[in-house]
Amino acid sequence: MSEKDEKINSLVDMGFSEDEANMAITRCGVDGDLSILIDSISASRVAGTLDLSNHQVTNRFFDCFGGRKKARLLEERKKKRKRYGGTTQGNQPSLDCNHDEHMLIPNPMVGFNLPNYSPPSIRVTRRILEQDIGPPYFYYENVARALNGVWTTFSRSLYGIQPEFVDSKHLCAAARKRGYIHNLPIDNRAPLLPLPPKTIFEAFPRYKKWWPSWDRRTQFNCLLTSVASATVTERIQHALESTGNPPPPSVTERIMAECKRYNLVWVGKNKAAALEPKEIEYLLGFPKDHTRGVCDTNRYKSLGNTFHVDTVAYHLSVLKGMFPNGVNVLSLFTGIGGGEVALHRLGINMRTVVSVEIDKASKRIFRDWWDQTQTGTLIEIDDVKSLTNDEVAQFVTRLGGFDLVIGGSPCNNLAGCNRYTRNGLNGEKSVLFYEYVRILNVVKSAMARK
DNA sequence: TACACTATGACAAACACG
DNA sequence: CGTGTTTGTCATAGTGTA
């Protein structure tokens, strides 16, 4: 079989038509990665059916830039297109293989809507192609501030659907800037109740006692995968003890930088400390002791990598009315089960969850939670790469289809704090995004055949 | 092998300013 | 408008201990 035929076969397996596959190979060449071909097909679907000059999401939050600034951004985009388009890339159409488009992140980062967010939002209308409306519903997540162009690729690979960017600080006491692409309805969402506390003191009143007046934080920064150790807090304590009260600005500024970076709290006189795992569980909407039983390093790591339950639950809440008999879920990059915990807290019964997760500690945490709270079936798979198209199709047949495909692919190579391997979407871990696309497309086409 | 701890100081993108 | 400044980030590699 020639390389071209092989690629066409793979693409057809994923649910693309033979014509589409042929076109993509003509445009991008037979040497291109499968991912580039998928991009190309998705792009032409979008280009062919939607008018890109008119935003499909009319949302006042995308209009929140002042006129001048917006005009400037548009100018820059034009310039970039000029710079990267056409001539330097041979005869490649710029829309297909150009990853340099900007994706505007709305400010404030409140998504399409939020519970109790005022002023009442102007009605958001979002159009999704008929063929891409669920079931299966899908829900994809990653860091909002990825490298430029990455979200354009996410969107393009996921049927041109506009991402929804939400900073969870609008829902809880910690920032968590994330983008979500999904084909769920966005009307009639309902938050989990009670609404979580939105300030540090509401969440942890006991820290008021030792909180210095010059620490003006009211919310935490993003909860990361590792925390400050004793030397950091000792250094702070020493600095405070060796200066007067109040300490000079030079000292407080340095200390504040550490506090913000590590999300420190004040637990005694001059004594700052890292948040405990159970406190992070609470902030992120997990049940008490959810991650208990593995070592602290693994608890922090898996918590740093997970969803904010309340944010995700708010988006998934629309499923409750649609599936009174429960759902079958394909959960990719499950981690400690943020999506499942959200469904559970929404009162949505999970008949079956096929969970793909490679990390042993996360798997154990999730399995323990499942055994203690669920009556449905859990099927565990280790690695997305080893999950073949045939196996996915067999699951679809066996279970009668998936109602929800949910997952957030690795951000390691996209996250700003990675100084070593922030090499973008083709990095070792983040490239697994394309496995999500592959598997989702197989599910879609297998369900369409039924 | 598993864990705890430490130092590291990159980088894009938003922002402020003239 | 360019240009310098600030901000914040689902992190990693290496070392030592048990």
Side-chain angles (χ1 to χ4, degrees):
Chain A
M1 201 190 296
S2 77
E3 193 177 349
K4 186 177 172 184
D5 289 338
E6 222 168 89
K7 286 201 164 142
I8 291 178
N9 276 345
S10 308
L11 288 166
V12 170
D13 277 348
M14 291 179 189
F16 299 112
S17 75
E18 207 171 319
D19 277 353
E20 284 176 316
N22 258 313
M23 290 280 284
I25 289 173
T26 310
R27 277 194 301 263
C28 297
V30 75
D31 300 328
D33 267 3
L34 215 50
S35 59
I36 292 176
L37 298 173
I38 295 171
D39 266 12
S40 167
I41 296 175
S42 307
S44 39
R45 278 188 179 182
V46 173
T49 351
L50 301 176
D51 179 10
L52 280 180
S53 64
N54 274 324
H55 282 293
Q56 291 309 306
V57 175
T58 51
N59 180 342
R60 77 196 172 85
F61 298 121
F62 286 96
D63 262 344
C64 57
F65 298 104
R68 262 202 336 240
K69 191 169 181 183
K70 198 174 176 184
R72 200 187 79 205
L73 281 168
L74 286 173
E75 263 316 297
E76 278 175 6
R77 287 164 73 179
K78 265 189 214 162
K79 271 190 211 160
K80 277 210 163 176
R81 256 198 296 269
K82 217 172 179 179
R83 225 182 305 153
Y84 294 106
T87 53
T88 53
Q89 310 220 347
N91 54 5
Q92 273 177 8
S94 62
L95 183 64
D96 287 322
C97 304
N98 176 1
H99 290 242
D100 295 291
E101 281 286 329
H102 272 297
M103 176 75 68
L104 297 181
I105 294 183
N107 183 17
M109 204 188 283
V110 293
F112 297 149
N113 54 46
L114 276 182
N116 303 331
Y117 187 81
S118 59
S121 60
I122 291 166
R123 194 182 170 74
V124 172
T125 58
R126 186 179 61 150
R127 229 163 61 208
I128 302 176
L129 298 186
E130 183 96 25
Q131 70 208 56
D132 297 324
I133 294 174
Y137 288 103
F138 75 90
Y139 190 80
Y140 175 78
E141 177 263 10
N142 214 318
V143 291
R145 294 181 154 184
L147 299 178
N148 243 345
V150 167
W151 273 101
T152 315
T153 306
F154 286 156
S155 171
R156 198 183 280 151
S157 307
L158 294 170
Y159 325 113
I161 296 172
Q162 178 80 41
E164 172 166 21
F165 292 102
V166 184
D167 187 340
S168 294
K169 76 176 182 183
H170 299 290
L171 272 160
C172 73
R176 203 164 190 81
K177 297 176 179 63
R178 297 292 181 268
Y180 307 88
I181 297 182
H182 58 82
N183 59 350
L184 296 160
I186 57 178
D187 290 326
N188 301 316
R189 289 168 163 177
L192 292 175
L193 296 174
L195 291 174
K198 281 169 74 174
T199 66
I200 294 174
F201 287 160
E202 283 171 45
F204 307 116
R206 67 195 176 105
Y207 293 142
K208 276 183 203 169
K209 185 173 178 191
W210 297 107
W211 205 273
S213 60
W214 42 266
D215 183 345
R216 304 198 178 283
R217 287 176 298 160
T218 58
Q219 291 192 302
F220 293 112
N221 278 339
C222 186
L223 304 165
L224 303 179
T225 55
S226 53
V227 291
S229 56
T231 39
V232 174
T233 53
E234 269 170 31
R235 209 157 56 210
I236 290 172
Q237 189 166 20
H238 184 257
L240 286 173
E241 279 170 357
S242 55
T243 59
N245 192 16
S250 60
V251 173
T252 58
E253 275 166 26
R254 205 162 45 80
I255 291 173
M256 280 315 301
E258 301 272 53
C259 287
K260 286 179 183 175
R261 176 175 165 192
Y262 290 112
N263 282 317
L264 302 179
V265 290
W266 299 97
V267 298
K269 185 174 163 62
N270 296 334
K271 190 177 174 189
L275 287 168
E276 291 172 0
K278 65 175 178 187
E279 294 172 320
I280 299 179
E281 287 169 357
Y282 171 62
L283 288 168
L284 291 176
F286 285 87
K288 208 171 176 200
D289 292 336
H290 184 76
T291 62
R292 202 143 176 194
V294 300
C295 71
D296 278 5
T297 310
N298 282 335
R299 293 181 77 181
Y300 284 122
K301 185 176 161 200
S302 56
L303 283 165
N305 279 308
T306 194
F307 292 160
H308 176 232
V309 171
D310 295 80
T311 305
V312 171
Y314 182 60
H315 296 160
L316 298 180
S317 62
V318 295
L319 293 172
K320 190 170 164 72
M322 285 190 251
F323 298 99
N325 296 322
V327 288
N328 290 328
V329 181
L330 175 55
S331 174
L332 305 177
F333 315 104
T334 304
I336 59 173
E340 288 78 2
V341 171
L343 290 169
H344 178 62
R345 286 190 59 194
L346 285 164
I348 297 173
N349 176 42
M350 287 165 273
R351 290 204 304 274
T352 312
V353 169
V354 176
S355 160
V356 186
E357 171 59 49
I358 201 162
D359 182 75
K360 282 198 179 114
S362 297
K363 276 180 72 170
R364 190 182 145 199
I365 291 165
F366 180 60
R367 197 186 323 120
D368 287 350
W369 173 81
W370 182 272
D371 290 343
Q372 283 166 30
T373 60
Q374 302 296 308
T375 54
T377 310
L378 173 64
I379 300 169
E380 292 178 281
I381 293 167
D382 280 337
D383 188 355
V384 277
K385 284 188 281 193
S386 67
L387 178 59
T388 65
N389 293 353
D390 281 348
E391 285 170 320
V392 175
Q394 279 166 26
F395 278 127
V396 169
T397 311
R398 201 166 106 199
L399 303 173
F402 287 108
D403 304 301
L404 177 67
V405 179
I406 185 167
S409 64
C411 69
N412 312 31
N413 311 117
L414 309 174
C417 53
N418 185 349
R419 296 196 303 282
Y420 300 96
T421 53
R422 194 187 190 192
N423 43 15
L425 200 44
N426 291 320
E428 187 191 349
K429 303 279 170 45
S430 296
V431 77
L432 294 177
F433 162 71
Y434 292 108
E435 299 293 328
Y436 181 96
V437 177
R438 171 180 70 86
I439 292 166
L440 175 60
N441 278 320
V442 174
V443 171
K444 276 168 69 95
S445 62
M447 286 177 66
R449 276 202 297 273
K450 283 201 310 162

